[in-house]
Amino acid sequence: MDFGLKDQVVMVTGGGSGIGAEAARSFAAQGAKVAIVDRNLAGANAVREEIAATGGLAAAYETNVTDEVSVQETVDAIQRDLGPVSVLVNNAGFTRDMKIVRMSLADWSSVVDVILKGAFLCSRAVIPAMVEAGYGRIVNISSRAHLGNPGQANYSSAKAGIIGFTRALSLEYGKNNITVNAVAPGIINTAAVTNLPHYGKIKEAAEKTTPIPRIGEPEDVANAIVFLGSRLSSYITGETLHVTGGRY
Ligand SMILES: NC(=O)c1ccc[n+]([C@@H]2O[C@H](COP(=O)([O-])OP(=O)(O)OC[C@H]3O[C@@H](n4cnc5c(N)ncnc54)[C@H](O)[C@@H]3O)[C@@H](O)[C@H]2O)c1
């Protein structure tokens, strides 16, 4: 099956770890030129080296997706180094969980900003080149938490917001052959989850309540991201694909 990704320039935010790192490796395996964008340059460089060791092409960029200048400088550098971005994966994100009455404004803003402002700034920076090329793919990483999780008012709000953002952009840019979709993972085996103090309980509950009775792997999510980021998904836009093992 030809994903049509050879020599496409793919920008993955939060590509230095977990789901983003696996998506970067998977795009590179399809022959894409991958820009690994992360505020953690060491992580981004490690993924770049792994990709290079397997004969792929990638570059690493230290970027804070919530910073307008940092994002624009990164997109300009990617254009210089690899070419104009044709696939954007808005994946950078994190949680700051607690009940709302104990949630500080910083806990709220940092989570909402990295997810929503980050996706806004990165999308706005790459869309002009996609319009010019008459082709583009944007894949936004939501979460099953968009349905609402206790202790995650900040994260659930942002992950629901990213679905509205996805739909809005899909309506604005369908005529330009730019598709915009979201992927909503369930519980996935990344450091963000395995480092949680109650990880054991989360894993046990997931195994009991998930129709496919296991925690998801980064590869499960990367496969969905690569499909929606490829030419194979050309008549799919504004959708949210749940990668949750059937758990809602
Ligand atoms: N792991 C899960 O169970 C799960 C489930 C649903 C959704 N998600 C979502 O998937 C995405 C990736 O999660 P993960 O589990 O791989 O997490 P992770 O912590 O392994 O990776 C996230 C990456 O984002 C980077 N990042 C954070 N803030 C940034 C910023 N301001 N600018 C640039 N980079 C930044 C981090 O440095 C890190 O490398 C997130 O959006 C997360 O909300 C994860």
Side-chain angles (χ1 to χ4, degrees):
M1 201 176 279
D2 181 8
F3 285 78
L5 282 162
K6 180 140 183 50
D7 295 330
Q8 295 286 307
V9 178
V10 180
M11 170 174 164
V12 184
T13 72
S17 172
I19 291 168
E22 190 58 29
R25 290 184 202 102
S26 302
F27 277 114
Q30 293 298 326
K33 300 188 266 185
V34 184
I36 304 157
V37 171
D38 206 297
R39 67 178 176 180
N40 171 8
L41 186 60
N45 269 326
V47 177
R48 176 184 62 76
E49 281 164 22
E50 261 182 70
I51 289 173
T54 59
L57 180 59
Y61 301 88
E62 184 175 8
T63 311
N64 177 355
V65 296
T66 67
D67 181 315
E68 189 171 21
V69 174
S70 174
V71 167
Q72 192 57 55
E73 284 176 356
T74 293
V75 169
D76 292 346
I78 295 170
Q79 171 126 7
R80 264 195 322 272
D81 299 343
L82 305 175
V85 172
S86 52
V87 182
L88 168 65
V89 183
N90 283 312
N91 165 79
F94 53 78
T95 53
R96 289 285 175 277
D97 298 355
M98 65 201 73
K99 291 219 171 112
I100 189 163
V101 292
R102 275 187 274 128
M103 191 177 282
S104 69
L105 183 57
D107 295 325
W108 171 270
S109 304
S110 61
V111 169
V112 171
D113 277 3
V114 69
I115 294 166
L116 286 178
K117 195 199 276 188
F120 159 65
L121 291 175
C122 293
S123 302
R124 193 184 63 174
V126 301
I127 283 173
M130 291 179 175
V131 169
E132 200 178 320
Y135 179 84
R137 297 278 179 268
I138 298 177
V139 184
N140 297 318
I141 308 307
S142 178
S143 164
R144 193 212 61 90
H146 76 84
L147 295 166
N149 270 347
Q152 292 196 315
N154 48 2
Y155 187 73
S156 290
S157 302
K159 291 300 190 182
I162 204 78
I163 292 176
F165 177 76
T166 298
R167 290 201 154 140
L169 288 198
S170 73
L171 296 173
E172 288 181 25
Y173 289 102
K175 62 181 176 300
N176 300 100
N177 199 23
I178 301 169
T179 66
V180 189
N181 291 289
V183 171
I187 298 168
I188 308 299
N189 184 14
T190 71
V193 172
T194 56
N195 286 342
L196 292 172
H198 51 296
Y199 171 65
K201 277 192 188 151
I202 294 177
K203 185 168 183 288
E204 200 184 319
E207 286 166 357
K208 271 198 198 130
T209 58
T210 308
I212 297 172
R214 64 172 174 85
I215 282 199
E217 294 300 325
E219 194 186 356
D220 293 317
V221 185
N223 289 340
I225 296 171
V226 168
F227 168 64
L228 291 172
S230 78
R231 286 188 188 268
L232 295 184
S233 59
S234 55
Y235 201 51
I236 300 171
T237 196
E239 293 293 340
T240 299
L241 178 55
H242 288 81
V243 183
T244 62
R247 181 171 155 270
Y248 284 91

